[in-house]
Amino acid sequence: MNKYIPVLTALLFFIVSFLSSKLYANETIEFKLPDDISLKFQPIYLGLDGNKVFSSKRVKLGSRDGNDVSYKERLSTTNLGGSFIGVSDNGKKEWLYYLGQTEVSEQQWNAVMRWWQHENQLIVDPIINSKLPQTGKTAAEIFAFIEALNVLMLKTDRESLPKNSNAIAYFRLPTEVEWAFAARGGNKVSSSVFDRPYPYVDENQSMTLAGYEWHRGSSGKKMKEIGSEHIKPNPLGLYDMLGNAEELTFGVFGHDFLFARFGGLVIRGGNYTTDPRDLKVSSRTEYDGYNANGDLIRLSKVGFRLALGTLVSETGYSNEELDSGYDDYLSSDSGVSQPTASGNTSLSQQAINDQISHYNTESERLVEENNSLRQQNSQVESDFIVLKGNLEQKKVDIDAISRELDAERAKNVDLAKLADISSLENKFDILIDSKDSEISRLHSEIDKLKQNVSQQTIVLSNAELSKKQMISLQQRVNDAERRDSTANFEIEKNKKRIVVAEKRLLEALTRVAGYNLYSAWRNLETIEKKRKVSKDPKIWRINKLEAENMLKEYRRYIIQIVDNTDHTLFPEVKDELVHWLKENKVSNQQIKGMDLLERHLHEVREGKYLQVDELYKNLRYEPEMGV
């Protein structure tokens, strides 16, 4: 038996190494299709700890250019998670997902569908070798293609599919969030570049589309082949994310990414006829598959790319492990959360206030930085204009002197001719010498002007450099404005959350206090009825104790409302609560109690301390509680 141990050890090492290489691959993965055609995918790392069962990244989607954008592109925050675990460039295990390197081509579509037709004994389409994006297909046809592709890979090359533990990969459309994160450059770009309309930069880190996308200005208004060698991929190695063909995603269209009114599927990106000024990551279109007559609409400029996903329930974790992992996720910074009720003195309220303070400070810093950059930009522009004006004036001076020199030369020639045929030779010699002297003086002046021009050329060169610096500064200004817009978005969002949380707390406290007041009044009414039947206090003893306890609780809630909530919100909360009580046809006395509760709140704010015995004695006779 011992002689087999080295062999078994080597075999085990080979299996582990093989599986590890598939699980932690950090390169492009390539799948072989029929007819020797391939399909390539890029890993999109999220910077999330791969050791956690659940983890997600908070992502902002939409335009950063302020509130003057279409409702389709308004800034919104949502979460993004991965389907696989790999080792990123920093050597750490991270969550990731895979996205198609290119849009699906007509050739790839044809290869998969021909295999499917052959397997199901259908008429097989002729071979198509076009590498243009596959467009003009309905959503149902695209899903049918994806189904055929999944069956093909599971039957013929299952081992090539990546896994997350026991969960094997399957092909699907990317979600809208997956598409947008990758289109912005993901973790391969800085936060400033991520927030720009597109993540392409030149040598000065300024925005540029040159050489990156097929649009109206670069495509010649013709669809181009996928993954063309004539354009460059985006920072994640993805081609044609914003141009060539628009792309259908697995997102349901809404005006917001969360809590939205949802419609059709979402189309992202631009196409080969899109004006470059309109090419941006935030562009969204709602997919409409039918016309008014019920006929199918086939969009000739809309294609799709694929993503790889896995089933969460098949990763091999037990239900207990999944539940525990999800609890850890909910308590993390990126976990799904709802605003919690909190008073002015609560820890959660203080955390929100600290966050708002941070955003306010960041906003002020960005405004100050914007102003500084604008001043630098204005100074550079002013210097450039002055230098350009000086150079133009020097050119005008040189032209004038050149014309003067040409005139003098012409006169000199005429004088020379006269000297050859006239008897006044000496006189003309003197004139010629004078003119030669003048010409020499002009030559000297021209040389000086040429030197000045040379110097001005150097200055102009410096001015060109300053212009490039000016463009770079303008880019920084634009980035700062986008950061400012994002910070303001966060501030406004958290202000709204605070108001919602405050109203929820106030409504809950008011609802309980009002019910306690009504319960106390009801017990006092019962005591009064029992007194008419018998004078024995034992008969109403329980009612008395309950009324006193209800009034103690009522007083405690009144003080809590005064101490921990914003009094300006009470009228609105009261109106909503009274409306709800009326709709649910509760006792009229409970509704009247809201007015008494409001008076007690005012008295406590003015410094009056409620006494339980006084409440007990006077409650039935308060004007608000009159029958």
Side-chain angles (χ1 to χ4, degrees):
M1 179 65 183
N2 291 338
K3 66 179 180 179
Y4 295 111
I5 291 178
V7 177
L8 292 174
T9 302
L11 180 59
L12 180 62
F13 178 78
F14 171 79
I15 294 173
V16 171
S17 300
F18 176 76
L19 292 177
S20 298
S21 65
K22 293 179 73 60
L23 179 61
Y24 301 123
N26 190 25
E27 303 294 335
T28 301
I29 57 176
E30 182 174 356
F31 300 106
K32 293 296 183 181
L33 303 179
D35 303 326
D36 199 27
I37 296 167
S38 64
L39 196 60
K40 296 181 180 179
F41 287 77
Q42 293 294 115
I44 315 296
Y45 282 88
L46 299 173
L48 299 171
D49 188 353
N51 295 305
K52 294 184 177 180
V53 177
F54 294 103
S55 188
S56 70
K57 187 181 189 71
R58 198 66 58 84
V59 180
K60 289 185 178 65
L61 302 181
S63 173
R64 273 71 164 163
D65 293 334
N67 292 326
D68 57 342
V69 297
S70 163
Y71 78 95
K72 301 176 184 179
E73 302 175 29
R74 290 294 172 88
L75 197 61
S76 183
T77 303
T78 186
N79 284 20
L80 173 62
S83 298
F84 306 93
I85 300 171
V87 178
S88 65
D89 292 337
N90 60 20
K92 296 181 179 179
K93 287 174 60 177
E94 292 183 9
W95 282 99
L96 72 139
Y97 62 96
Y98 286 101
L99 195 61
Q101 188 182 84
T102 65
E103 297 153 343
V104 171
S105 70
E106 294 178 351
Q107 183 187 50
Q108 292 165 338
W109 177 287
N110 178 253
V112 173
M113 297 311 293
R114 290 178 73 253
W115 178 88
W116 174 262
Q117 291 159 353
H118 183 270
E119 284 289 304
N120 290 276
Q121 299 180 350
L122 303 172
I123 297 175
V124 179
D125 293 334
I127 294 176
I128 296 176
N129 290 319
S130 169
K131 294 185 179 180
L132 294 176
Q134 178 65 68
T135 60
K137 298 296 184 181
T138 67
E141 289 169 339
I142 291 173
F143 285 125
F145 166 82
I146 293 173
E147 181 180 90
L149 176 59
N150 279 310
V151 173
L152 165 66
M153 295 307 300
L154 289 170
K155 283 182 175 291
T156 64
D157 196 9
R158 186 185 188 93
E159 294 304 316
S160 68
L161 295 169
K163 292 182 178 179
N164 177 13
S165 190
N166 294 336
I168 192 168
Y170 69 92
F171 298 89
R172 59 169 170 79
L173 288 176
T175 67
E176 190 176 4
V177 188
E178 289 172 339
W179 186 96
F181 181 77
R184 289 190 178 278
N187 288 345
K188 290 291 187 179
V189 299
S190 66
S191 58
S192 294
V193 174
F194 185 89
D195 283 341
R196 294 177 184 175
Y198 42 81
Y200 310 126
V201 297
D202 58 18
E203 66 276 5
N204 298 316
Q205 295 302 300
S206 298
M207 288 172 52
T208 181
L209 280 173
Y212 284 99
E213 293 288 356
W214 295 120
H215 49 76
R216 181 183 297 176
S218 62
S219 67
K221 297 185 180 180
K222 291 184 178 180
M223 189 83 78
K224 302 294 183 179
E225 292 185 348
I226 63 167
S228 170
E229 62 182 9
H230 301 295
I231 63 170
K232 294 173 282 189
N234 84 347
L236 290 168
L238 305 171
Y239 289 85
D240 299 327
M241 285 298 289
L242 301 182
N244 210 24
E246 298 171 51
E247 299 178 16
L248 190 67
T249 65
F250 206 8
V252 184
F253 187 90
H255 60 273
D256 194 353
F257 292 95
L258 292 174
F259 312 116
R261 171 189 174 187
F262 295 117
L265 296 179
V266 184
I267 298 171
R268 297 302 300 256
N271 60 63
Y272 62 94
T273 64
T274 303
D275 191 298
R277 292 171 297 184
D278 298 328
L279 217 61
K280 51 186 177 180
V281 176
S282 58
S283 296
R284 305 171 69 222
T285 306
E286 187 172 12
Y287 171 75
D288 184 3
Y290 316 94
N291 63 19
N293 297 323
D295 298 322
L296 294 175
I297 297 175
R298 296 186 178 276
L299 303 173
S300 62
K301 298 177 183 178
V302 176
F304 67 101
R305 75 177 65 228
L306 296 172
L308 291 177
T310 58
L311 297 178
V312 176
S313 57
E314 292 191 0
T315 53
Y317 292 106
S318 66
N319 289 335
E320 291 76 13
E321 289 173 319
L322 290 173
D323 288 340
S324 176
Y326 191 64
D327 289 339
D328 292 340
Y329 165 65
L330 287 178
S331 62
S332 69
D333 292 337
S334 60
V336 177
S337 62
Q338 297 290 341
T340 56
S342 59
N344 293 335
T345 59
S346 68
L347 292 176
S348 58
Q349 178 65 62
Q350 185 61 47
I352 292 174
N353 291 338
D354 291 344
Q355 187 178 23
I356 290 180
S357 176
H358 165 73
Y359 283 129
N360 284 332
T361 303
E362 179 67 9
S363 178
E364 291 172 1
R365 184 188 67 78
L366 290 171
V367 170
E368 184 178 345
E369 183 179 345
N370 279 353
N371 292 335
S372 174
L373 290 172
R374 289 183 188 279
Q375 290 175 0
Q376 295 179 44
N377 190 10
S378 298
Q379 185 61 45
V380 171
E381 287 181 341
S382 177
D383 293 344
F384 179 74
I385 291 172
V386 171
L387 290 171
K388 192 171 182 180
N390 290 340
L391 182 61
E392 293 294 333
Q393 185 59 48
K394 293 298 183 183
K395 289 181 178 179
V396 171
D397 293 342
I398 289 175
D399 291 340
I401 293 173
S402 295
R403 288 193 297 272
E404 186 178 348
L405 178 60
D406 290 339
E408 291 298 332
R409 282 176 174 167
K411 291 179 182 179
N412 190 35
V413 171
D414 292 339
L415 289 172
K417 290 179 180 178
L418 289 172
D420 291 339
I421 61 175
S422 174
S423 61
L424 301 173
E425 184 175 348
N426 292 333
K427 184 177 180 179
F428 287 123
D429 285 340
I430 293 172
L431 289 173
I432 289 171
D433 290 340
S434 175
K435 292 299 181 181
D436 286 340
S437 176
E438 180 66 14
I439 289 171
S440 296
R441 184 187 68 77
L442 290 172
H443 273 299
S444 176
E445 189 165 347
I446 286 175
D447 290 339
K448 290 180 180 179
L449 285 172
K450 285 182 177 179
Q451 291 178 358
N452 287 336
V453 170
S454 178
Q455 293 173 354
Q456 290 298 327
T457 300
I458 295 174
V459 171
L460 182 61
S461 176
N462 292 334
E464 290 292 340
L465 179 60
S466 298
K467 184 177 181 180
K468 291 181 179 179
Q469 293 174 346
M470 177 187 68
I471 294 173
S472 178
L473 286 172
Q474 184 61 49
Q475 184 68 66
R476 291 171 60 191
V477 168
N478 294 339
D479 290 342
E481 287 177 344
R482 275 188 286 272
R483 291 197 300 272
D484 184 36
S485 176
T486 302
N488 287 332
F489 162 76
E490 287 293 342
I491 291 170
E492 290 302 319
K493 183 176 69 175
N494 281 286
K495 284 181 179 177
K496 292 176 182 177
R497 283 179 174 173
I498 291 171
V499 172
V500 170
E502 190 78 23
K503 286 180 65 177
R504 285 179 178 173
L505 172 63
L506 182 54
E507 179 188 349
L509 294 175
T510 304
R511 189 185 292 271
V512 176
Y515 183 77
N516 285 339
L517 182 65
Y518 168 69
S519 295
W521 177 87
R522 187 174 57 187
N523 277 281
L524 290 173
E525 285 291 308
T526 302
I527 291 172
E528 187 61 25
K529 291 177 181 178
K530 289 182 177 180
R531 275 178 175 166
K532 293 178 180 180
V533 176
S534 172
K535 301 298 182 180
D536 186 359
K538 293 181 180 179
I539 297 177
W540 61 78
R541 183 175 61 84
I542 294 177
N543 297 105
K544 182 175 183 297
L545 289 174
E546 186 174 347
E548 289 174 345
N549 289 333
M550 290 295 104
L551 290 173
K552 288 178 183 178
E553 287 296 301
Y554 171 72
R555 181 185 64 182
R556 183 169 69 86
Y557 283 117
I558 290 293
I559 294 172
Q560 192 172 353
I561 291 172
V562 171
D563 289 345
N564 294 338
T565 65
D566 182 357
H567 70 277
T568 62
L569 298 175
F570 182 79
E572 181 183 355
V573 171
K574 177 191 170 188
D575 290 344
E576 293 176 355
L577 191 52
V578 168
H579 179 72
W580 182 88
L581 292 171
K582 289 180 178 178
E583 278 193 341
N584 287 272
K585 299 180 180 180
V586 302
S587 170
N588 193 45
Q589 291 303 122
Q590 188 172 349
I591 297 173
K592 289 181 177 181
M594 291 292 104
D595 294 329
L596 179 59
L597 185 150
E598 185 173 18
R599 174 159 66 85
H600 283 160
L601 288 175
H602 178 73
E603 291 175 353
V604 172
R605 290 193 187 96
E606 293 295 321
K608 181 179 178 180
Y609 188 78
L610 297 179
Q611 299 289 342
V612 173
D613 55 348
E614 288 185 8
L615 291 172
Y616 184 91
K617 182 172 60 177
N618 299 324
L619 181 57
R620 293 184 62 249
Y621 309 106
E622 296 287 5
E624 292 88 350
M625 302 299 290
V627 179

